[in-house]
Short mmCIF file of all heavy atoms in Angstrom, two decimals:
data_model
loop_
_atom_site.label_atom_id
_atom_site.label_comp_id
_atom_site.label_asym_id
_atom_site.label_seq_id
_atom_site.Cartn_x
_atom_site.Cartn_y
_atom_site.Cartn_z
N MET A 1 7.74 -14.84 23.88
CA MET A 1 6.40 -14.23 23.94
C MET A 1 5.37 -15.07 23.19
O MET A 1 4.30 -14.61 22.88
CB MET A 1 6.43 -12.83 23.36
CG MET A 1 7.30 -11.85 24.14
SD MET A 1 6.75 -11.60 25.82
CE MET A 1 5.52 -10.31 25.54
N THR A 2 5.76 -16.30 22.85
CA THR A 2 4.78 -17.14 22.13
C THR A 2 3.60 -17.48 23.02
O THR A 2 2.63 -18.03 22.56
CB THR A 2 5.44 -18.44 21.63
OG1 THR A 2 6.11 -19.04 22.73
CG2 THR A 2 6.43 -18.14 20.51
N ASP A 3 3.70 -17.14 24.33
CA ASP A 3 2.58 -17.37 25.24
C ASP A 3 1.35 -16.60 24.78
O ASP A 3 0.23 -16.95 25.10
CB ASP A 3 2.93 -16.92 26.65
CG ASP A 3 4.04 -17.78 27.24
OD1 ASP A 3 4.37 -18.81 26.62
OD2 ASP A 3 4.56 -17.43 28.29
N ASP A 4 1.56 -15.52 24.03
CA ASP A 4 0.45 -14.69 23.58
C ASP A 4 -0.27 -15.28 22.38
O ASP A 4 -1.31 -14.79 21.97
CB ASP A 4 0.96 -13.29 23.21
CG ASP A 4 1.51 -12.56 24.42
OD1 ASP A 4 0.97 -12.75 25.51
OD2 ASP A 4 2.48 -11.81 24.25
N LEU A 5 0.30 -16.29 21.80
CA LEU A 5 -0.30 -16.86 20.59
C LEU A 5 -1.45 -17.78 20.92
O LEU A 5 -1.37 -18.63 21.80
CB LEU A 5 0.75 -17.67 19.82
CG LEU A 5 1.72 -16.88 18.97
CD1 LEU A 5 2.76 -17.84 18.39
CD2 LEU A 5 0.99 -16.17 17.85
N LYS A 6 -2.53 -17.63 20.15
CA LYS A 6 -3.63 -18.57 20.28
C LYS A 6 -3.32 -19.79 19.43
O LYS A 6 -2.52 -19.72 18.49
CB LYS A 6 -4.93 -17.92 19.81
CG LYS A 6 -5.37 -16.80 20.73
CD LYS A 6 -6.73 -16.29 20.35
CE LYS A 6 -7.16 -15.20 21.34
NZ LYS A 6 -8.49 -14.67 21.03
N PRO A 7 -3.95 -20.90 19.77
CA PRO A 7 -3.69 -22.11 18.98
C PRO A 7 -4.27 -22.00 17.57
O PRO A 7 -5.07 -21.11 17.28
CB PRO A 7 -4.38 -23.21 19.78
CG PRO A 7 -5.42 -22.50 20.58
CD PRO A 7 -4.88 -21.14 20.87
N CYS A 8 -3.87 -22.91 16.73
CA CYS A 8 -4.38 -22.95 15.37
C CYS A 8 -5.91 -23.04 15.38
O CYS A 8 -6.47 -23.88 16.08
CB CYS A 8 -3.80 -24.18 14.66
SG CYS A 8 -4.50 -24.44 13.02
N PRO A 9 -6.61 -22.18 14.62
CA PRO A 9 -8.06 -22.22 14.61
C PRO A 9 -8.63 -23.45 13.91
O PRO A 9 -9.81 -23.74 14.02
CB PRO A 9 -8.46 -20.93 13.86
CG PRO A 9 -7.27 -20.61 13.02
CD PRO A 9 -6.07 -21.10 13.77
N PHE A 10 -7.82 -24.16 13.20
CA PHE A 10 -8.32 -25.30 12.41
C PHE A 10 -8.10 -26.64 13.10
O PHE A 10 -8.91 -27.55 12.96
CB PHE A 10 -7.68 -25.31 11.03
CG PHE A 10 -7.99 -24.07 10.26
CD1 PHE A 10 -7.05 -23.06 10.14
CD2 PHE A 10 -9.24 -23.89 9.68
CE1 PHE A 10 -7.35 -21.90 9.43
CE2 PHE A 10 -9.54 -22.74 8.98
CZ PHE A 10 -8.59 -21.74 8.85
N CYS A 11 -7.01 -26.77 13.82
CA CYS A 11 -6.75 -28.06 14.45
C CYS A 11 -6.50 -27.94 15.95
O CYS A 11 -6.41 -28.94 16.65
CB CYS A 11 -5.55 -28.75 13.77
SG CYS A 11 -3.97 -27.94 14.11
N GLY A 12 -6.37 -26.70 16.46
CA GLY A 12 -6.17 -26.52 17.89
C GLY A 12 -4.74 -26.74 18.36
O GLY A 12 -4.44 -26.63 19.55
N HIS A 13 -3.85 -27.01 17.45
CA HIS A 13 -2.47 -27.26 17.80
C HIS A 13 -1.75 -25.96 18.13
O HIS A 13 -2.17 -24.88 17.71
CB HIS A 13 -1.76 -27.96 16.63
CG HIS A 13 -0.47 -28.62 17.01
ND1 HIS A 13 0.71 -27.93 17.08
CD2 HIS A 13 -0.19 -29.91 17.33
CE1 HIS A 13 1.68 -28.79 17.43
NE2 HIS A 13 1.16 -29.98 17.59
N GLU A 14 -0.66 -26.08 18.86
CA GLU A 14 0.17 -24.93 19.20
C GLU A 14 0.66 -24.21 17.94
O GLU A 14 1.03 -24.84 16.95
CB GLU A 14 1.36 -25.44 20.00
CG GLU A 14 2.37 -24.37 20.36
CD GLU A 14 3.61 -24.96 21.05
OE1 GLU A 14 3.75 -26.20 21.07
OE2 GLU A 14 4.41 -24.18 21.55
N ALA A 15 0.68 -22.89 18.01
CA ALA A 15 1.23 -22.09 16.92
C ALA A 15 2.60 -21.57 17.35
O ALA A 15 2.87 -21.43 18.54
CB ALA A 15 0.31 -20.93 16.59
N VAL A 16 3.44 -21.29 16.38
CA VAL A 16 4.78 -20.79 16.71
C VAL A 16 5.06 -19.52 15.91
O VAL A 16 4.57 -19.34 14.81
CB VAL A 16 5.87 -21.84 16.39
CG1 VAL A 16 5.75 -23.02 17.33
CG2 VAL A 16 5.80 -22.29 14.95
N ALA A 17 5.85 -18.64 16.54
CA ALA A 17 6.32 -17.43 15.86
C ALA A 17 7.79 -17.63 15.52
O ALA A 17 8.59 -17.97 16.39
CB ALA A 17 6.14 -16.21 16.76
N ILE A 18 8.10 -17.44 14.28
CA ILE A 18 9.46 -17.69 13.81
C ILE A 18 10.02 -16.43 13.17
O ILE A 18 9.37 -15.82 12.31
CB ILE A 18 9.46 -18.83 12.77
CG1 ILE A 18 8.88 -20.11 13.36
CG2 ILE A 18 10.88 -19.07 12.25
CD1 ILE A 18 8.57 -21.16 12.31
N HIS A 19 11.21 -16.06 13.59
CA HIS A 19 11.88 -14.93 12.95
C HIS A 19 12.71 -15.46 11.80
O HIS A 19 13.50 -16.39 11.97
CB HIS A 19 12.76 -14.20 13.96
CG HIS A 19 13.58 -13.11 13.34
ND1 HIS A 19 14.92 -12.96 13.58
CD2 HIS A 19 13.24 -12.13 12.48
CE1 HIS A 19 15.37 -11.92 12.89
NE2 HIS A 19 14.37 -11.41 12.22
N SER A 20 12.52 -14.89 10.64
CA SER A 20 13.36 -15.31 9.53
C SER A 20 13.91 -14.09 8.81
O SER A 20 13.25 -13.06 8.70
CB SER A 20 12.57 -16.21 8.56
OG SER A 20 11.42 -15.57 8.10
N SER A 21 15.12 -14.21 8.38
CA SER A 21 15.71 -13.12 7.61
C SER A 21 16.45 -13.72 6.42
O SER A 21 17.13 -14.74 6.55
CB SER A 21 16.66 -12.29 8.47
OG SER A 21 17.69 -13.08 9.00
N TRP A 22 16.27 -13.12 5.31
CA TRP A 22 16.93 -13.58 4.10
C TRP A 22 17.11 -12.39 3.20
O TRP A 22 16.28 -11.52 3.10
CB TRP A 22 16.13 -14.68 3.42
CG TRP A 22 14.65 -14.44 3.37
CD1 TRP A 22 13.75 -14.65 4.38
CD2 TRP A 22 13.91 -13.89 2.28
NE1 TRP A 22 12.50 -14.28 3.98
CE2 TRP A 22 12.56 -13.82 2.69
CE3 TRP A 22 14.25 -13.48 0.99
CZ2 TRP A 22 11.57 -13.34 1.85
CZ3 TRP A 22 13.24 -13.00 0.16
CH2 TRP A 22 11.92 -12.94 0.61
N TRP A 23 18.25 -12.30 2.55
CA TRP A 23 18.59 -11.12 1.77
C TRP A 23 18.37 -9.87 2.63
O TRP A 23 18.85 -9.80 3.75
CB TRP A 23 17.81 -11.07 0.46
CG TRP A 23 18.21 -12.18 -0.46
CD1 TRP A 23 19.23 -13.06 -0.26
CD2 TRP A 23 17.60 -12.55 -1.69
NE1 TRP A 23 19.29 -13.94 -1.31
CE2 TRP A 23 18.31 -13.66 -2.19
CE3 TRP A 23 16.52 -12.06 -2.41
CZ2 TRP A 23 17.98 -14.27 -3.38
CZ3 TRP A 23 16.19 -12.67 -3.59
CH2 TRP A 23 16.91 -13.76 -4.08
N ASP A 24 17.57 -8.92 2.14
CA ASP A 24 17.33 -7.70 2.91
C ASP A 24 16.06 -7.78 3.75
O ASP A 24 15.65 -6.80 4.35
CB ASP A 24 17.22 -6.49 1.96
CG ASP A 24 18.58 -6.15 1.37
OD1 ASP A 24 19.60 -6.51 1.99
OD2 ASP A 24 18.61 -5.54 0.29
N ASN A 25 15.43 -8.93 3.76
CA ASN A 25 14.15 -9.04 4.44
C ASN A 25 14.29 -9.57 5.85
O ASN A 25 15.05 -10.49 6.11
CB ASN A 25 13.21 -9.99 3.67
CG ASN A 25 12.58 -9.32 2.49
OD1 ASN A 25 12.29 -8.12 2.53
ND2 ASN A 25 12.36 -10.08 1.44
N ASP A 26 13.55 -8.93 6.75
CA ASP A 26 13.40 -9.40 8.12
C ASP A 26 11.92 -9.60 8.31
O ASP A 26 11.14 -8.67 8.14
CB ASP A 26 13.88 -8.31 9.09
CG ASP A 26 15.13 -8.76 9.84
OD1 ASP A 26 15.41 -9.97 9.85
OD2 ASP A 26 15.80 -7.88 10.39
N GLU A 27 11.51 -10.78 8.66
CA GLU A 27 10.08 -10.98 8.87
C GLU A 27 9.82 -11.98 9.97
O GLU A 27 10.70 -12.76 10.35
CB GLU A 27 9.38 -11.41 7.58
CG GLU A 27 9.84 -12.78 7.09
CD GLU A 27 9.15 -13.16 5.80
OE1 GLU A 27 8.88 -12.25 4.99
OE2 GLU A 27 8.90 -14.35 5.59
N TYR A 28 8.60 -11.91 10.47
CA TYR A 28 8.16 -12.84 11.50
C TYR A 28 6.99 -13.63 10.96
O TYR A 28 6.01 -13.06 10.49
CB TYR A 28 7.75 -12.09 12.77
CG TYR A 28 8.95 -11.52 13.49
CD1 TYR A 28 9.51 -10.31 13.12
CD2 TYR A 28 9.54 -12.23 14.54
CE1 TYR A 28 10.62 -9.80 13.77
CE2 TYR A 28 10.65 -11.73 15.20
CZ TYR A 28 11.18 -10.51 14.80
OH TYR A 28 12.29 -10.02 15.44
N ASP A 29 7.14 -14.92 11.02
CA ASP A 29 6.07 -15.81 10.57
C ASP A 29 5.39 -16.43 11.77
O ASP A 29 6.06 -16.82 12.72
CB ASP A 29 6.65 -16.95 9.72
CG ASP A 29 7.33 -16.45 8.47
OD1 ASP A 29 6.72 -15.64 7.77
OD2 ASP A 29 8.47 -16.88 8.21
N VAL A 30 4.07 -16.51 11.71
CA VAL A 30 3.33 -17.28 12.69
C VAL A 30 2.63 -18.38 11.93
O VAL A 30 1.97 -18.11 10.91
CB VAL A 30 2.30 -16.43 13.46
CG1 VAL A 30 1.50 -17.32 14.42
CG2 VAL A 30 3.00 -15.33 14.25
N GLU A 31 2.78 -19.59 12.39
CA GLU A 31 2.15 -20.68 11.66
C GLU A 31 1.80 -21.83 12.58
O GLU A 31 2.35 -21.95 13.68
CB GLU A 31 3.06 -21.16 10.54
CG GLU A 31 4.42 -21.66 11.02
CD GLU A 31 5.36 -21.94 9.86
OE1 GLU A 31 5.76 -20.98 9.18
OE2 GLU A 31 5.66 -23.13 9.63
N CYS A 32 0.88 -22.65 12.11
CA CYS A 32 0.51 -23.87 12.83
C CYS A 32 1.70 -24.82 12.80
O CYS A 32 2.32 -25.02 11.76
CB CYS A 32 -0.71 -24.50 12.17
SG CYS A 32 -1.16 -26.08 12.91
N PHE A 33 2.00 -25.41 13.93
CA PHE A 33 3.19 -26.25 14.05
C PHE A 33 2.85 -27.74 13.94
O PHE A 33 3.66 -28.59 14.25
CB PHE A 33 3.87 -25.96 15.39
CG PHE A 33 5.34 -26.28 15.41
CD1 PHE A 33 6.18 -25.82 14.42
CD2 PHE A 33 5.88 -27.06 16.43
CE1 PHE A 33 7.53 -26.12 14.44
CE2 PHE A 33 7.24 -27.35 16.46
CZ PHE A 33 8.06 -26.88 15.46
N ASN A 34 1.64 -28.03 13.50
CA ASN A 34 1.20 -29.41 13.37
C ASN A 34 1.37 -29.89 11.92
O ASN A 34 0.71 -29.39 11.01
CB ASN A 34 -0.28 -29.51 13.78
CG ASN A 34 -0.84 -30.90 13.59
OD1 ASN A 34 -0.11 -31.86 13.33
ND2 ASN A 34 -2.15 -31.01 13.70
N GLY A 35 2.27 -30.82 11.72
CA GLY A 35 2.52 -31.32 10.37
C GLY A 35 1.30 -31.97 9.74
O GLY A 35 1.21 -32.09 8.52
N GLU A 36 0.33 -32.38 10.59
CA GLU A 36 -0.86 -33.05 10.07
C GLU A 36 -2.04 -32.10 9.92
O GLU A 36 -3.14 -32.52 9.61
CB GLU A 36 -1.28 -34.18 11.04
CG GLU A 36 -0.18 -35.19 11.32
CD GLU A 36 0.20 -35.96 10.05
OE1 GLU A 36 -0.72 -36.41 9.36
OE2 GLU A 36 1.41 -36.08 9.78
N CYS A 37 -1.83 -30.80 10.18
CA CYS A 37 -2.93 -29.84 10.10
C CYS A 37 -3.52 -29.84 8.69
O CYS A 37 -2.78 -29.79 7.70
CB CYS A 37 -2.41 -28.44 10.44
SG CYS A 37 -3.72 -27.19 10.43
N PRO A 38 -4.85 -29.87 8.58
CA PRO A 38 -5.47 -29.91 7.26
C PRO A 38 -5.34 -28.59 6.50
O PRO A 38 -5.49 -28.56 5.28
CB PRO A 38 -6.94 -30.24 7.55
CG PRO A 38 -7.15 -29.76 8.95
CD PRO A 38 -5.84 -29.97 9.67
N VAL A 39 -5.10 -27.49 7.21
CA VAL A 39 -5.06 -26.18 6.55
C VAL A 39 -3.66 -25.55 6.58
O VAL A 39 -3.26 -24.87 5.65
CB VAL A 39 -6.10 -25.22 7.19
CG1 VAL A 39 -6.07 -23.86 6.52
CG2 VAL A 39 -7.49 -25.82 7.12
N LYS A 40 -2.94 -25.75 7.66
CA LYS A 40 -1.61 -25.16 7.84
C LYS A 40 -1.61 -23.64 7.63
O LYS A 40 -0.93 -23.13 6.74
CB LYS A 40 -0.60 -25.81 6.89
CG LYS A 40 -0.35 -27.27 7.17
CD LYS A 40 0.70 -27.82 6.23
CE LYS A 40 1.05 -29.26 6.58
NZ LYS A 40 -0.07 -30.18 6.29
N PRO A 41 -2.41 -22.92 8.43
CA PRO A 41 -2.47 -21.47 8.28
C PRO A 41 -1.12 -20.83 8.59
O PRO A 41 -0.32 -21.37 9.37
CB PRO A 41 -3.53 -21.04 9.29
CG PRO A 41 -3.53 -22.12 10.31
CD PRO A 41 -3.23 -23.39 9.56
N HIS A 42 -0.90 -19.68 8.01
CA HIS A 42 0.40 -19.04 8.10
C HIS A 42 0.21 -17.55 7.82
O HIS A 42 -0.57 -17.17 6.96
CB HIS A 42 1.32 -19.68 7.07
CG HIS A 42 2.52 -18.85 6.74
ND1 HIS A 42 2.55 -17.98 5.68
CD2 HIS A 42 3.73 -18.78 7.34
CE1 HIS A 42 3.75 -17.40 5.65
NE2 HIS A 42 4.47 -17.87 6.64
N THR A 43 0.89 -16.72 8.59
CA THR A 43 0.87 -15.30 8.30
C THR A 43 2.26 -14.74 8.56
O THR A 43 3.01 -15.26 9.38
CB THR A 43 -0.19 -14.56 9.15
OG1 THR A 43 -0.28 -13.22 8.69
CG2 THR A 43 0.17 -14.56 10.62
N CYS A 44 2.63 -13.68 7.89
CA CYS A 44 3.92 -13.07 8.18
C CYS A 44 3.81 -11.55 8.13
O CYS A 44 3.03 -10.98 7.37
CB CYS A 44 5.00 -13.59 7.24
SG CYS A 44 4.89 -13.01 5.56
N ARG A 45 4.57 -10.92 9.03
CA ARG A 45 4.58 -9.46 9.15
C ARG A 45 6.01 -9.00 9.43
O ARG A 45 6.89 -9.81 9.67
CB ARG A 45 3.67 -9.02 10.30
CG ARG A 45 2.19 -9.28 10.07
CD ARG A 45 1.63 -8.41 8.98
NE ARG A 45 0.17 -8.49 8.88
CZ ARG A 45 -0.50 -9.44 8.24
NH1 ARG A 45 0.16 -10.42 7.66
NH2 ARG A 45 -1.82 -9.42 8.20
N GLU A 46 6.18 -7.69 9.45
CA GLU A 46 7.53 -7.15 9.66
C GLU A 46 8.01 -7.27 11.11
O GLU A 46 9.21 -7.32 11.36
CB GLU A 46 7.58 -5.69 9.23
CG GLU A 46 7.50 -5.53 7.72
CD GLU A 46 7.63 -4.08 7.29
OE1 GLU A 46 7.83 -3.22 8.16
OE2 GLU A 46 7.51 -3.83 6.08
N THR A 47 7.07 -7.25 12.04
CA THR A 47 7.46 -7.38 13.45
C THR A 47 6.70 -8.53 14.09
O THR A 47 5.64 -8.94 13.61
CB THR A 47 7.17 -6.10 14.26
OG1 THR A 47 5.74 -5.97 14.40
CG2 THR A 47 7.74 -4.86 13.58
N LYS A 48 7.26 -9.00 15.18
CA LYS A 48 6.63 -10.11 15.88
C LYS A 48 5.25 -9.72 16.42
O LYS A 48 4.30 -10.49 16.34
CB LYS A 48 7.54 -10.56 17.02
CG LYS A 48 7.13 -11.87 17.66
CD LYS A 48 8.18 -12.28 18.67
CE LYS A 48 7.86 -13.62 19.29
NZ LYS A 48 8.92 -14.05 20.22
N ASP A 49 5.16 -8.50 16.97
CA ASP A 49 3.89 -8.05 17.52
C ASP A 49 2.82 -7.99 16.43
O ASP A 49 1.66 -8.36 16.65
CB ASP A 49 4.04 -6.67 18.16
CG ASP A 49 4.74 -6.75 19.52
OD1 ASP A 49 4.87 -7.87 20.05
OD2 ASP A 49 5.16 -5.70 20.02
N GLU A 50 3.19 -7.51 15.26
CA GLU A 50 2.23 -7.43 14.15
C GLU A 50 1.81 -8.82 13.70
O GLU A 50 0.65 -9.05 13.37
CB GLU A 50 2.84 -6.66 12.97
CG GLU A 50 2.95 -5.16 13.20
CD GLU A 50 3.65 -4.46 12.04
OE1 GLU A 50 4.14 -5.13 11.13
OE2 GLU A 50 3.70 -3.21 12.07
N ALA A 51 2.77 -9.72 13.67
CA ALA A 51 2.44 -11.08 13.24
C ALA A 51 1.47 -11.74 14.22
O ALA A 51 0.51 -12.39 13.83
CB ALA A 51 3.72 -11.91 13.12
N ILE A 52 1.71 -11.52 15.51
CA ILE A 52 0.83 -12.09 16.52
C ILE A 52 -0.55 -11.43 16.46
O ILE A 52 -1.58 -12.09 16.54
CB ILE A 52 1.45 -11.94 17.92
CG1 ILE A 52 2.69 -12.84 18.04
CG2 ILE A 52 0.44 -12.29 19.02
CD1 ILE A 52 3.50 -12.63 19.30
N ALA A 53 -0.57 -10.11 16.26
CA ALA A 53 -1.85 -9.39 16.17
C ALA A 53 -2.64 -9.85 14.95
O ALA A 53 -3.87 -9.82 14.96
CB ALA A 53 -1.60 -7.89 16.12
N ALA A 54 -1.94 -10.23 13.90
CA ALA A 54 -2.63 -10.70 12.70
C ALA A 54 -3.12 -12.13 12.87
O ALA A 54 -4.15 -12.51 12.32
CB ALA A 54 -1.68 -10.62 11.50
N TRP A 55 -2.38 -12.90 13.63
CA TRP A 55 -2.72 -14.32 13.80
C TRP A 55 -3.89 -14.52 14.75
O TRP A 55 -4.83 -15.25 14.46
CB TRP A 55 -1.51 -15.08 14.34
CG TRP A 55 -1.82 -16.48 14.78
CD1 TRP A 55 -2.21 -16.88 16.02
CD2 TRP A 55 -1.79 -17.65 13.97
NE1 TRP A 55 -2.41 -18.23 16.05
CE2 TRP A 55 -2.16 -18.73 14.80
CE3 TRP A 55 -1.48 -17.91 12.63
CZ2 TRP A 55 -2.23 -20.03 14.33
CZ3 TRP A 55 -1.55 -19.22 12.17
CH2 TRP A 55 -1.92 -20.25 13.01
N ASN A 56 -3.85 -13.88 15.91
CA ASN A 56 -4.79 -14.21 16.97
C ASN A 56 -6.27 -14.05 16.63
O ASN A 56 -7.05 -14.92 17.00
CB ASN A 56 -4.44 -13.43 18.23
CG ASN A 56 -3.29 -14.07 18.99
OD1 ASN A 56 -2.95 -15.23 18.74
ND2 ASN A 56 -2.70 -13.35 19.92
N PRO A 57 -6.69 -12.99 15.93
CA PRO A 57 -8.13 -12.87 15.65
C PRO A 57 -8.66 -14.02 14.80
O PRO A 57 -9.86 -14.29 14.82
CB PRO A 57 -8.24 -11.54 14.89
CG PRO A 57 -7.03 -10.78 15.28
CD PRO A 57 -5.96 -11.83 15.48
N ARG A 58 -7.81 -14.69 14.09
CA ARG A 58 -8.26 -15.77 13.22
C ARG A 58 -8.85 -16.91 14.02
O ARG A 58 -9.59 -17.73 13.50
CB ARG A 58 -7.10 -16.27 12.38
CG ARG A 58 -6.54 -15.19 11.49
CD ARG A 58 -5.27 -15.61 10.83
NE ARG A 58 -5.50 -16.74 9.95
CZ ARG A 58 -4.58 -17.22 9.14
NH1 ARG A 58 -3.40 -16.69 9.09
NH2 ARG A 58 -4.85 -18.24 8.37
N ALA A 59 -8.49 -16.96 15.33
CA ALA A 59 -8.99 -18.05 16.15
C ALA A 59 -10.40 -17.79 16.66
O ALA A 59 -11.02 -18.68 17.20
CB ALA A 59 -8.04 -18.29 17.32
N VAL A 60 -10.91 -16.56 16.51
CA VAL A 60 -12.22 -16.27 17.10
C VAL A 60 -13.29 -15.92 16.08
O VAL A 60 -14.48 -15.96 16.38
CB VAL A 60 -12.12 -15.11 18.13
CG1 VAL A 60 -11.22 -15.52 19.28
CG2 VAL A 60 -11.61 -13.85 17.49
N TYR A 61 -12.91 -15.57 14.86
CA TYR A 61 -13.93 -15.26 13.87
C TYR A 61 -14.68 -16.53 13.46
O TYR A 61 -14.06 -17.56 13.21
CB TYR A 61 -13.30 -14.65 12.62
CG TYR A 61 -12.72 -13.28 12.82
CD1 TYR A 61 -11.59 -12.88 12.11
CD2 TYR A 61 -13.29 -12.39 13.71
CE1 TYR A 61 -11.04 -11.62 12.29
CE2 TYR A 61 -12.75 -11.14 13.91
CZ TYR A 61 -11.62 -10.76 13.20
OH TYR A 61 -11.09 -9.53 13.38
N PRO A 62 -16.00 -16.45 13.37
CA PRO A 62 -16.73 -17.62 12.91
C PRO A 62 -16.49 -17.86 11.41
O PRO A 62 -16.25 -16.92 10.66
CB PRO A 62 -18.20 -17.25 13.18
CG PRO A 62 -18.20 -15.76 13.17
CD PRO A 62 -16.86 -15.33 13.69
N ALA A 63 -16.57 -19.08 11.04
CA ALA A 63 -16.37 -19.41 9.63
C ALA A 63 -17.57 -18.97 8.79
O ALA A 63 -18.72 -18.98 9.26
CB ALA A 63 -16.17 -20.92 9.48
N VAL A 64 -17.33 -18.55 7.61
CA VAL A 64 -18.40 -18.21 6.67
C VAL A 64 -18.25 -19.12 5.46
O VAL A 64 -17.21 -19.16 4.83
CB VAL A 64 -18.31 -16.73 6.23
CG1 VAL A 64 -19.37 -16.45 5.16
CG2 VAL A 64 -18.49 -15.82 7.41
N ILE A 65 -19.29 -19.85 5.19
CA ILE A 65 -19.25 -20.74 4.04
C ILE A 65 -20.27 -20.22 3.01
O ILE A 65 -21.44 -20.03 3.32
CB ILE A 65 -19.61 -22.19 4.43
CG1 ILE A 65 -18.57 -22.71 5.42
CG2 ILE A 65 -19.68 -23.06 3.18
CD1 ILE A 65 -18.92 -24.07 5.98
N ARG A 66 -19.80 -19.92 1.84
CA ARG A 66 -20.68 -19.41 0.81
C ARG A 66 -20.52 -20.28 -0.43
O ARG A 66 -19.42 -20.46 -0.93
CB ARG A 66 -20.31 -17.96 0.48
CG ARG A 66 -21.18 -17.33 -0.57
CD ARG A 66 -20.72 -15.94 -0.89
NE ARG A 66 -20.69 -15.10 0.32
CZ ARG A 66 -20.02 -13.95 0.42
NH1 ARG A 66 -19.33 -13.53 -0.62
NH2 ARG A 66 -20.05 -13.25 1.52
N GLU A 67 -21.62 -20.79 -0.88
CA GLU A 67 -21.53 -21.61 -2.09
C GLU A 67 -21.70 -20.73 -3.31
O GLU A 67 -22.56 -19.84 -3.34
CB GLU A 67 -22.61 -22.70 -2.06
CG GLU A 67 -22.35 -23.71 -0.96
CD GLU A 67 -23.26 -24.92 -1.07
OE1 GLU A 67 -23.85 -25.13 -2.15
OE2 GLU A 67 -23.39 -25.64 -0.07
N ILE A 68 -20.85 -20.94 -4.25
CA ILE A 68 -20.88 -20.13 -5.47
C ILE A 68 -21.30 -21.03 -6.63
O ILE A 68 -20.71 -22.11 -6.84
CB ILE A 68 -19.49 -19.52 -5.75
CG1 ILE A 68 -19.10 -18.62 -4.58
CG2 ILE A 68 -19.51 -18.73 -7.08
CD1 ILE A 68 -17.69 -18.08 -4.67
N ASP A 69 -22.30 -20.60 -7.32
CA ASP A 69 -22.79 -21.40 -8.47
C ASP A 69 -21.81 -21.37 -9.64
O ASP A 69 -21.25 -20.33 -9.93
CB ASP A 69 -24.15 -20.85 -8.95
CG ASP A 69 -25.22 -21.07 -7.88
OD1 ASP A 69 -25.08 -22.04 -7.12
OD2 ASP A 69 -26.15 -20.25 -7.84
ZN1 ZN B 101 -3.43 -26.32 12.47
#
């Protein structure tokens, strides 16, 4: 179902959903798959659908740059 994933918002590279489990944890990570990505965004949730839902909007929100004195 990685077809539902939007590309990385920072470099445009393909994103991947990875299931990982360790100890008692089951989680799904979505991350940029480009080793050269300047940001390497990453999110993780308990289910794959949640991880994808959390990842995809990041590709459409405009950036906000605020300078702090
Ligand atoms: Zn990227």
Side-chain angles (χ1 to χ4, degrees):
M1 296 298 275
T2 51
D3 294 350
D4 296 325
L5 280 175
K6 292 187 178 180
C8 173
F10 299 102
C11 70
H13 197 276
E14 177 185 10
V16 292
I18 302 167
H19 174 227
S20 56
S21 59
W22 42 280
W23 294 353
D24 289 336
N25 281 327
D26 246 343
E27 65 181 34
Y28 288 84
D29 298 311
V30 177
E31 59 188 68
C32 176
F33 204 50
N34 176 11
E36 304 295 314
C37 182
V39 180
K40 295 182 175 69
H42 161 266
T43 188
C44 72
R45 293 292 189 277
E46 289 183 2
T47 70
K48 191 174 183 177
D49 284 347
E50 287 176 354
I52 291 172
W55 169 270
N56 280 345
R58 299 171 63 173
V60 297
Y61 292 147
V64 175
I65 298 174
R66 181 182 303 162
E67 293 190 17
I68 300 174
D69 294 331

